[in-house]
Structure formats: structure tokens, C-alpha cells
Amino acid sequence: MRLFAALGLFAVVAGAAGAAPVPKVRPISVPATAVVGEPWRAVVAIAPAARATLEARGPATIRARLRPTRPRAGRYGATLRFARAGSWAVFVRVGKRSTRVGLVSVDVPRDPLIVDPMTIAAEPSGELLVGQLRQGDLLRIAGGRATRVAGGVGVFHVAVADARTYVAGRDGAVYRVDGSSLARLTPPMDASSVAVDAGGNLYVTLYVGWVKKIAPDGAVTTIAGDGTEGYTGDGGPATAAKIFHPHSLAIGRDGALYVADTENRRIRRIDLVTGRITTFGGDVGITVSLAAGPDGSIYSADVVRDGAGGGVTRTTPNGETTRIVSSTLVNGVAVAGDGTVYVNEGEAKRIQRLDASTRRLEPIARG
């Protein structure tokens, strides 16, 4: 028995002595940042030499074979191209063993045309329009790249109706995009946002507390507000209501006009058939931008006030309001025909998309 035990011990020792050592992996150069679509290269040390793969795990998983760069020093390199922005963890895989060697923050490339983004809107094609306030042109974002649409007027608000684009200019007038130019439709009237109904009527908000309607023949009428600050009138005619510094509006899927009653932290709904006004949903914060979703929901972008709020809320057709984005930088929201939500972060010069599964913002363009 002792002889067999001794022989067994000898076999274990001999087996251990003959086993291949586990390669040790050490990062040499693993950059902490990368740009979507541009080559990103990492160098690692592996000892002893072994076949290995560089693997990045983030919004997806990508891999590349590590190849010797300095064989005698045991150094290997590989190049990756990240297809999406986000945070990616980088590993070296040798056989079945993975060793983490770094964390990479991947961003979209800077676009020189994006200099002062103020407002965004989604086109029927799913592309985005970006209006810029003090400098820069009205832009279209497609495939992550910006192209010029029109220029010459600073833009407070951009809206799309019946495949046509309208803007409320910095000068307070309303314009329509015709080709590569902006055709003025109204004289300066302190308009801060614009919406268009199926009949071609324009609706604009005026900061002092009015919502005006401009008919196709140019006739201007008041449809909401009395030009004074306050919060009254629900259930009655909108022309007798008080609205406190409205900043934005949108035509809903139901054909009603939704108004950002900014200082009251509410959305007001105006039935364009009866002319009556009601409050829609709950507290949406200091809202400065509205967008209508394909399911009838109304999305509102609000800004920080006294250290609170900031981001995007969604109010469903039954009036339930929930916050879906928290951000101190958001000042605009748009919703595509498929329900994808986009936000504008003006100070950061970023246009972002809300990932419906993770509820995280993912950049699609930046200045």
C-alpha cells in the first residue's frame, strides 16, 4: 500500500511539473478613450508566448487576433473599431481564460457644423433636424453626420408637418424651409415655437402668455391665454385662460394642441374643435420643449430650476406622467415615427438617443 501511494504521489508531482504554465497578461498600452469608426490599438504583454484574442464587451462584443509586435519582449498588439458609443470593457482571452486589461469610453466624432444646437425635430424619414440659435445653420443629422439645410436665421424652435419644415426664428418671425433657404411667413411677432395642423394653420407661443393662430391667408387670432401670468381656465374657453410663459407646443396624434405652460410646470391641452383648455398629466418641471409620440404620448424636456428637475418626462394618453431621462443638460426633445426618443443637450453640443432597453442616452452626433 505504501508503494502504491508513493507511486501515486510521484505521478501527481510529475504531472504538475509537465503542465504548461498559465500565461500572465499585462497591459502595456490600452487607451482609455476611442472614437466611433476610428482605429483603436492596444498593446499587451503575454508571458509565456501564447495565441490570444483581444475582446471588447460593451453595447456589443468585438474581437481581434493579437499578433506579436516585439516577440522577444512578449508583446502583442491588435486594432479594434468600435461601431457604437458607450463604455466598453477590454479583455485578453487566452484559451478559456479572460483577463481584463482596461475600460474604454467610446464617443462619436466631433462635427464642425454643430456649434450652437438649440432645438431638434424628427422627420418622417427618421432623420433629425437641428436648429441653432446664435450661430450655425439649420442642420440635418443622418448616419451620425450633419449637413446644412438652410441658414441666415437663428432658430428658437423647429417643427415638421406634412413633410415640410417650419422654424420660429430668433427674430420672432415664423419661416418655412423652401429648398435651401428660409421663406418668412409672418412678420416678427415674438414667436418662440411653432406647430402646424392638417389645415395648414400655424400656431405659435408668445412668452407674455398667449398662443396665436395664423391662418393660411395670414389672419392672426388668439386661441389661448390673455397675455398675463397665472394658471386658470381649465374646463373653459382657452381664450379666457391664463398661461405662464409658454415655451413650446405640439400637435398631438389626437389633433389637439399641447402647450408647454412653462412656469406652471404643466402641459395644457387645447381642443381645437371646441376651443376648451385642460391640464394634461402631472408636474413636468420647467418644460421648454414638447414632442408628440406615435402612441399619443407627449414628451416634455425640462430644465433645472433651483437644483431640481432636468431631463425628459413622458405623459401617456391617459394622463400618467413619468420621468424617463434625468439630465441637467437637456433642453430639447424629439420623437421619431417608430417611437425612438432623441434629446438635445445644448451646452454640451450633443444630440443623443434614448436606448429603450437600457434607458441610457447614447450620443449620435456632437459638436
Side-chain angles (χ1 to χ4, degrees):
M1 291 294 294
R2 290 182 181 178
L3 177 60
F4 287 127
L7 289 173
L9 178 60
F10 175 77
V12 171
V13 173
V22 176
K24 293 183 178 180
V25 177
R26 178 170 56 90
I28 300 297
S29 173
V30 182
T33 60
V35 176
V36 170
E38 296 184 5
W40 175 89
R41 185 168 178 78
V43 177
V44 299
I46 304 175
R51 291 170 60 88
T53 300
L54 188 70
E55 183 175 277
R57 306 171 190 171
T61 299
I62 54 177
R63 302 177 181 86
R65 175 74 67 185
L66 280 158
R67 301 186 183 280
T69 58
R70 293 175 58 189
R72 292 185 179 180
R75 294 193 177 186
Y76 295 75
T79 299
L80 298 176
R81 291 180 185 268
F82 298 92
R84 293 176 60 183
S87 182
W88 297 69
V90 181
F91 297 81
V92 170
R93 186 175 183 86
V94 182
K96 295 182 178 181
R97 182 186 296 269
S98 291
T99 302
R100 180 166 165 166
V101 293
L103 185 66
V104 184
S105 178
V106 181
D107 209 343
V108 293
R110 292 188 182 278
D111 195 310
L113 294 180
I114 301 174
V115 293
D116 190 23
M118 176 67 181
T119 175
I120 58 175
E123 295 184 294
S125 62
E127 297 171 346
L128 291 181
L129 293 170
V130 180
Q132 306 194 86
L133 182 59
R134 292 170 293 271
Q135 56 181 317
D137 296 320
L138 177 67
L139 306 175
R140 175 175 289 111
I141 306 292
R145 295 185 178 276
T147 56
R148 180 184 184 277
V149 175
V153 177
V155 177
F156 267 127
H157 182 252
V158 60
V160 178
D162 194 25
R164 304 209 70 172
T165 300
Y166 300 81
V167 304
R170 188 183 178 193
D171 60 358
V174 176
Y175 296 80
R176 183 181 61 229
V177 175
D178 285 344
S180 59
S181 62
L182 293 171
R184 197 170 77 173
L185 302 179
T186 73
M189 55 185 302
D190 197 31
S192 56
S193 64
V194 59
V196 186
D197 68 14
N201 298 293
L202 304 176
Y203 299 88
V204 299
T205 53
L206 277 64
Y207 180 79
V208 293
W210 277 310
V211 178
K212 299 281 187 178
K213 172 184 174 181
I214 302 101
D217 64 2
V220 179
T221 56
T222 297
I223 68 161
D226 62 4
T228 62
E229 299 173 352
Y231 181 38
T232 63
D234 274 355
T239 50
K242 293 184 184 296
I243 302 173
F244 199 166
H245 295 173
H247 274 70
S248 187
L249 39 69
I251 299 289
R253 189 175 179 84
D254 58 356
L257 182 67
Y258 292 84
V259 181
D261 193 351
T262 301
E263 293 295 338
N264 287 320
R265 300 172 180 261
R266 292 294 189 275
I267 299 172
R268 309 292 285 276
R269 180 184 182 276
I270 301 172
D271 188 315
L272 294 177
V273 176
T274 65
R276 294 190 175 276
I277 190 171
T278 54
T279 293
F280 180 67
D283 188 341
V284 292
I286 305 298
T287 184
V288 295
S289 176
L290 296 181
D295 66 343
S297 295
I298 301 297
Y299 295 79
S300 168
D302 63 300
V303 297
V304 177
R305 173 73 64 80
D306 298 326
V312 176
T313 60
R314 172 178 179 246
T315 302
T316 60
N318 64 6
E320 181 180 351
T321 299
T322 56
R323 183 164 295 281
I324 61 173
V325 174
S326 294
S327 170
T328 60
L329 301 175
V330 170
N331 69 329
V333 62
V335 184
D338 63 359
T340 301
V341 178
Y342 298 89
V343 302
N344 178 58
E345 295 181 339
E347 290 188 12
K349 301 180 183 180
R350 285 182 175 273
I351 314 299
Q352 308 230 58
R353 174 177 51 224
L354 180 64
D355 187 307
S357 59
T358 65
R359 289 297 179 185
R360 294 180 179 178
L361 294 177
E362 178 179 303
I364 63 170
R366 63 168 176 150

